Amino acid sequence: MLDELWNRLNPAERGWTPLMAAGSGALLLALLLAVLAWESRIAALEEQASTQTRVVAWMQEAAQEATQLRSTLPPTGEIAQGQTLMAVAERTIRSSGLEKNLTRVEPGEQNTVRVSFDAVGFDRLIHWLNQLQREFGVEAARISIKRDEAHVGMVSARLTLSTVSAPGGS
């Protein structure tokens, strides 16, 4: 049957037929390769989505566990009745050995205290802030720290201290 078709073609058509067959074959091969590439990419994306879904589930479980653990922590301290934030700041600065680096302590707006240090050890400053939060419920509402280029580990710091609101409180 193919021989009959081939014989009915004129010589010019017979010259183009092998080229058309080769071009069609190349096109089919290219389409096949494209489909295979897309299938492997889709499989990779499905695997990635599955992995991300597992990670999200783990993160949600970890968040719930963290919330439960946080609720078991002892409450943070509070400033004793009759004490002021200013008095607590000054007393803890002295007890932490930071008074020689203290350049200013003054009352701020809305029950805050502004504190400035020059050439203070960064680690000691952070330890003091941690003590304030842990023992008195005081946090640094605003903080600006600049590294002392001349001394390793030393900084200049400007802080605004305020009391932490109790959960659900105002």
Side-chain angles (χ1 to χ4, degrees), residues 2-169:
L2 287 175
D3 286 338
E4 289 176 23
L5 285 172
W6 183 257
N7 290 332
R8 281 193 272 163
L9 295 174
N10 65 37
E13 291 174 329
R14 285 184 199 157
W16 286 101
T17 303
L19 288 173
M20 289 175 46
S24 297
L27 181 61
L28 284 174
L29 181 62
L31 287 173
L32 179 64
L33 291 174
V35 167
L36 291 175
W38 276 104
E39 283 183 355
S40 67
R41 179 68 178 142
I42 288 170
L45 289 173
E46 286 173 343
E47 178 62 29
Q48 185 179 11
S50 174
T51 300
Q52 289 178 351
T53 301
R54 287 191 302 272
V55 169
V56 167
W58 175 83
M59 290 174 81
Q60 289 171 337
E61 289 175 20
Q64 289 174 347
E65 185 179 345
T67 301
Q68 290 171 347
L69 289 173
R70 193 176 301 122
S71 68
T72 65
L73 291 174
T76 58
E78 294 179 355
I79 295 176
Q81 187 129 19
Q83 283 189 318
T84 64
L85 178 56
M86 175 80 90
V88 168
E90 289 175 335
R91 188 177 76 243
T92 57
I93 288 168
R94 279 192 309 276
S95 67
S96 297
L98 298 173
E99 69 275 3
K100 67 179 180 176
N101 307 98
L102 181 67
T103 56
R104 182 176 60 199
V105 58
E106 63 186 12
E109 302 169 353
Q110 299 177 348
N111 196 29
T112 63
V113 173
R114 289 190 298 265
V115 183
S116 298
F117 295 98
D118 282 334
V120 65
F122 178 78
D123 291 343
R124 291 179 72 193
L125 178 68
I126 297 303
H127 178 76
W128 171 69
L129 286 171
N130 185 39
Q131 175 193 9
L132 281 175
Q133 198 282 324
R134 190 180 62 249
E135 294 179 16
F136 302 100
V138 173
E139 68 180 4
R142 287 186 209 102
I143 188 167
S144 171
I145 298 177
K146 292 183 183 175
R147 180 174 51 162
D148 185 341
E149 299 291 334
H151 302 98
V152 175
M154 304 300 267
V155 296
S156 293
R158 310 292 173 256
L159 305 101
T160 301
L161 304 175
S162 67
T163 55
V164 178
S165 299

